[in-house]
Amino acid sequence: MALVVHKYGGTSMGSVDRIKNVARRVAKWHDAGYQVVVVPSAMAGETNRLIGLAREIMPEPDQRELDMIASTGEQVSIGLLSMALKQLGKDAVSFTGWQVPVVTDTAHTKARIQSIDDRKIRENLDKGSIVIVAGFQGVNEFNEITTLGRGGSDTSAVAIAAALKADECLIYTDVDGVYTTDPRVVSEARRLKKITFEEMLEMASLGSKVLQTRSVELAGSYHVPTRVLSSLTDPEMPLEEEAKSGTLITFEEEHTDMESTVISGIAFSRDEAKITVLGVPDRPGIASQILGAIANANIEVDMIIQNQSVGGKTDFTFTVPRPDYNRAMDILNNQVKAEIGASDIIGDAKVSKVSAIGIGMRSHVGVASKMFSTLFSEGINILMISTSEIKISVIIDEKYMELAVRALHKAFGLEQ
Ligand code: ASP
Ligand code: MG
């Protein structure tokens, strides 16, 4: 019998009526003979509300207690959904993370899943029940409740699908799939029927926030076929149609149109910042001294460029997320500058990153030159470039970001 995991996000669980719709949809799959495990998020806004309450009492919340509080949103969801299914005459049973158990490491508020015991879930599926497992939460070796980081129920669902070797993990959400780019920026953006894990990973980490990046990594390493699809469709729509809708995240071997599509999407990240350390003595250890200090402050460095040295001095440029810009500048000015004898630190917090992504790049040449000539013809100056096997990214002035995305989307023929 085929086994599927359904994940429903906060919007899909947002009200009693929506929960009833989720129940109807899940019941439809169960009626069709599927074993179904459902992983819901907390009702929309609920996790924020809970964290807000915690902060009202303790501005820097105790991490253990914060997990105790934040994890309750999902506990409400699973109970309500289970009841909604029972009202439809279905056998359903809900479990929190610790009841399964979903075992995580000890890092409160950002725990990683270590193992999932599938016995209780299987037992209940085999009895004919629909099993509902709380997303976003687990339990550590000390029996403490943990949570997986914001958006973590995607990761819960994929991990549970991996543990059960499910036939598919269906992520029901408020968008109907993965698009060639953000439709709010390019109205001609198209929904992709398929995308490879690698491309999806680049899309996810580059700011197309459809799925939590960790869930995509997990799907890739455990080969979990994962589908992103809409939860806003009619719950009674024909199952055959629903099962083919949305975007399937697949493996490269299965990606049939690999030859025809060179670029699958244009991703962007608006809020970047660029920092240059000027006049750095060109000697071993410099990069690690600069970037080490930044990493120690838990700031993620993305693109890095070191210039050719002139007279024993070089310039060192890198990007950080814009919210971390001021902190990074402080560290460099107050600590690193004197330490390494740099002449100056300059920065620009108004830059954005635009990337063309596609596994077809591996077998096609000329993608980079097409990207650069497209930007040139729009009069957009490129500030930094970085490439990988399946991606080319540029840093540009933020005011040209949308123009660049539109021009590239068109140049790479993503509209048809
Ligand atoms: N409820 C959690 C959050 O808001 C987990 C999730 O929605 O995936 O972050
Ligand atoms: Mg989400």
Side-chain angles (χ1 to χ4, degrees), residues 37-258:
V37 177
V38 189
V39 179
S41 296
M43 295 171 76
E46 186 59 14
T47 309
N48 285 345
R49 188 185 73 86
L50 293 166
I51 294 173
L53 286 176
R55 285 195 200 283
E56 271 183 51
I57 302 247
M58 199 174 184
E60 291 294 333
D62 179 275
Q63 301 283 291
R64 175 192 183 273
E65 305 306 335
L66 188 59
D67 274 350
M68 190 65 89
I69 296 162
S71 61
T72 61
E74 273 72 12
Q75 188 168 337
V76 172
S77 286
I78 58 172
L80 290 173
L81 181 57
S82 184
M83 286 185 187
L85 282 160
K86 287 177 200 292
Q87 286 297 95
L88 296 177
K90 286 289 178 189
D91 264 332
V93 58
S94 66
F95 297 116
T96 58
W98 64 265
Q99 286 180 303
V100 171
V102 174
V103 178
T104 72
D105 63 17
T106 55
H108 280 294
T109 75
K110 46 178 180 298
R112 288 185 164 261
I113 297 177
Q114 289 176 331
S115 65
I116 294 176
D117 187 340
D118 65 346
R119 281 172 301 182
K120 194 179 269 175
I121 299 177
R122 279 202 192 281
E123 229 169 74
N124 283 279
L125 288 174
D126 291 342
K127 281 196 305 205
S129 282
I130 293 164
V131 178
I132 306 161
V133 180
F136 181 53
Q137 56 175 263
V139 61
N140 69 22
E141 60 180 312
F142 307 112
N143 247 338
E144 302 281 10
I145 292 174
T146 52
T147 64
L148 309 183
R150 297 310 303 273
S153 50
D154 292 339
T155 300
S156 305
V158 174
I160 289 167
L164 294 167
K165 301 191 175 55
D167 294 280
E168 203 169 287
C169 181
L170 296 96
I171 312 269
Y172 288 88
T173 178
D174 47 2
V175 294
D176 65 354
V178 179
Y179 278 72
T180 50
T181 195
D182 187 339
R184 283 169 299 191
V185 173
V186 182
S187 56
E188 294 87 2
R190 267 183 317 112
R191 182 170 55 78
L192 295 161
K193 285 207 172 73
K194 282 185 177 181
I195 184 169
T196 67
F197 283 97
E198 292 163 288
E199 290 168 327
M200 187 62 203
L201 209 50
E202 295 289 359
M203 297 285 253
S205 61
L206 289 171
S208 318
K209 298 209 170 34
V210 184
L211 288 183
Q212 200 197 32
T213 305
R214 267 165 63 197
S215 70
V216 183
E217 283 166 2
L218 207 60
S221 28
Y222 290 91
H223 277 221
V224 182
T226 301
R227 185 181 296 276
V228 177
L229 70 172
S230 174
S231 67
L232 305 173
T233 53
D234 178 1
E236 316 293 353
M237 86 188 259
L239 189 139
E240 308 71 54
E241 201 183 307
E242 184 173 311
K244 279 187 292 192
S245 67
T247 302
L248 180 65
I249 306 173
T250 176
F251 310 98
E252 190 172 345
E253 306 84 88
E254 304 161 359
H255 203 59
T256 46
D257 358 297
M258 202 175 106

Side-chain angles (χ1 to χ4, degrees), residues 337-414:
K337 189 176 164 190
E339 228 171 72
I340 62 172
S343 60
D344 205 2
I345 317 280
I346 55 172
D348 182 352
K350 287 200 157 72
V351 298
S352 299
K353 180 167 69 171
V354 177
S355 310
I357 296 160
I359 53 164
M361 251 182 236
R362 285 187 184 137
S363 47
H364 286 78
V365 291
V367 175
S369 62
K370 186 166 189 169
M371 180 158 181
F372 303 151
S373 64
T374 304
L375 295 172
F376 168 62
S377 63
E378 297 293 336
I380 299 170
N381 188 28
I382 300 171
L383 305 173
M384 286 172 89
I385 301 170
S386 87
T387 63
S388 80
E389 222 191 341
I390 66 161
K391 174 192 78 170
I392 302 172
S393 302
V394 294
I395 292 286
I396 56 175
D397 189 322
E398 76 166 354
K399 64 176 182 272
Y400 300 125
M401 195 207 74
E402 299 206 353
L403 175 64
V405 172
R406 276 195 291 272
L408 292 170
H409 193 266
K410 188 158 193 185
F412 285 110
L414 291 173

